[in-house]
Amino acid sequence: GKDWNKYILKYRSIDKEHAETLSTIAASLHDYFPRIFQQIDSAIYTVDMGDGFYGLEEFVDGSIKERNLDYFSLLGGHIASLHKQLYAFLQNNRSLENILLRGGYANESSLASIYLDLASNTENVFLLSELEKIISSGFSKEIDSLHKYLIHNDLNHSNLIRVGDTIKIIDPESIGISVRINEFAAPLFLGGNRSRPTYIDGSLSLLFSSYNESSENPLSDKEGKILIDLLKYALLRYYVVRSIRRGMDEIGYLDETETALKKLGGFKR
């Protein structure tokens, strides 16, 4: 029989202008995103489905590479290449900058909220002490002082599909302007959107070094230093959201989080 191409209608945004911008970026970066389609009778990419705007894209038929050290070594180079292309897009489309600005989750109010949640249970004494160190270092001001870039912001394992020797990203909805070290938490910790965050020993070193070796604009010493606190805070935030706010009773998760925090604390750039 005849082979038919497969397509998928993907949610973009509740805002039309934002939805169109995300589709435009994905269509421009065809090396990494599936083919994005415009309407037949216009240059518009998205359609209003009532609950938001959706875009039609080609279904990516591939596999998800095993999340091991080899995976992280290769991924760093891909992220560097993606950042280069996103940077070029923004330089050529400065008028879209305000649409793409994203708020951070490492501001003082967010830190205080996580602190109060951790303080509600005496079992979280180590996690609380780690957060106190992060807060006392002036973390929120330090991260806010970093240069902002256009990044993907959700390169978790399930969003990266292997097609032959290439990688396709199937989800552009989180793309926005932020500090670029925000790009590293999702791939390092998230096996999928709903899976329990896990850290594989040695993955940060490989991701960090392969990114810098491949990038025309490597992470600065300041970014590298703040990255460790950011990753620790991300682990604490994931723990609070899952175990405290959602009440998910996951055996061993607290111990795993403590171990990951200690390993990140010993990371040498």
Side-chain angles (χ1 to χ4, degrees):
K2 184 177 180 180
D3 291 331
W4 294 92
N5 289 332
K6 299 178 182 178
Y7 306 93
I8 185 168
L9 198 62
K10 293 289 295 290
Y11 176 80
R12 289 287 186 262
S13 174
I14 193 67
D15 177 78
K16 181 178 181 179
E17 190 174 25
H18 186 222
E20 282 293 314
T21 298
L22 294 177
S23 288
T24 300
I25 295 172
S28 300
L29 275 63
H30 50 79
D31 287 347
Y32 281 109
F33 291 94
R35 185 180 176 191
I36 310 295
F37 297 93
Q38 294 178 316
Q39 293 183 22
I40 294 176
D41 56 351
S42 71
I44 296 174
Y45 284 105
T46 59
V47 59
D48 188 354
M49 301 291 288
D51 62 339
F53 290 85
Y54 288 72
L56 185 68
E57 61 186 55
E58 193 165 22
F59 179 79
V60 176
D61 191 8
S63 61
I64 298 179
K65 183 174 172 58
E66 182 183 355
R67 192 167 167 260
N68 54 23
L69 293 181
D70 180 57
Y71 167 81
F72 290 105
S73 181
L74 293 172
L75 185 57
H78 282 292
I79 295 177
S81 175
L82 175 65
H83 282 183
K84 178 181 179 181
Q85 294 182 46
L86 287 170
Y87 178 82
F89 177 89
L90 189 59
Q91 292 301 109
N92 293 324
N93 296 275
R94 304 302 299 191
S95 61
L96 300 177
E97 196 163 341
N98 288 336
I99 300 172
L100 293 166
L101 283 172
R102 294 177 60 91
Y105 61 83
N107 52 53
E108 291 184 358
S109 61
S110 296
L111 287 164
S113 176
I114 297 297
Y115 184 92
L116 291 172
D117 280 323
L118 288 174
S120 66
N121 191 323
T122 56
E123 289 185 356
N124 301 326
V125 60
F126 178 75
L127 273 59
L128 196 61
S129 68
E130 288 294 296
L131 182 58
E132 288 173 345
K133 292 176 186 176
I134 293 171
I135 293 173
S136 64
S137 72
F139 170 63
S140 60
K141 290 183 179 178
E142 286 290 303
I143 197 169
D144 193 50
S145 70
L146 295 178
H147 184 75
K148 306 298 191 297
Y149 295 86
L150 185 59
I151 64 172
H152 182 275
N153 225 12
D154 190 22
L155 295 176
N156 72 69
H157 190 228
S158 62
N159 280 342
L160 299 166
I161 307 298
R162 183 178 181 179
V163 182
D165 295 328
T166 65
I167 287 181
K168 289 293 184 181
I169 303 169
I170 60 171
D171 193 352
E173 283 67 62
S174 57
I175 290 175
I177 295 173
S178 181
V179 295
R180 63 173 166 169
I181 57 175
N182 275 336
E183 196 77 281
F184 294 88
L188 282 169
F189 301 139
L190 301 181
N193 290 322
R194 297 187 180 183
S195 63
R196 183 161 93 187
T198 57
Y199 174 68
I200 297 175
D201 195 16
S203 57
L204 173 56
S205 178
L206 288 170
L207 189 64
F208 184 92
S209 60
S210 61
Y211 179 90
N212 274 356
E213 288 168 3
S214 303
S215 177
E216 296 178 358
N217 181 24
L219 293 170
S220 67
D221 289 342
K222 182 177 181 180
E223 286 176 303
K225 179 178 180 294
I226 299 173
L227 173 62
I228 304 304
D229 279 346
L230 174 68
L231 294 176
K232 286 184 175 182
Y233 177 62
L235 277 175
L236 293 168
R237 184 170 175 269
Y238 290 143
Y239 180 81
V240 164
V241 170
R242 294 177 71 87
S243 294
I244 299 176
R245 296 179 183 175
R246 296 179 182 172
M248 299 172 69
D249 186 14
E250 299 173 300
I251 298 173
Y253 186 27
L254 177 59
D255 291 339
E256 288 178 14
T257 302
E258 290 184 1
T259 299
L261 288 167
K262 291 174 183 176
K263 288 178 177 177
L264 288 172
F267 173 71
K268 304 296 182 183
R269 298 187 301 278

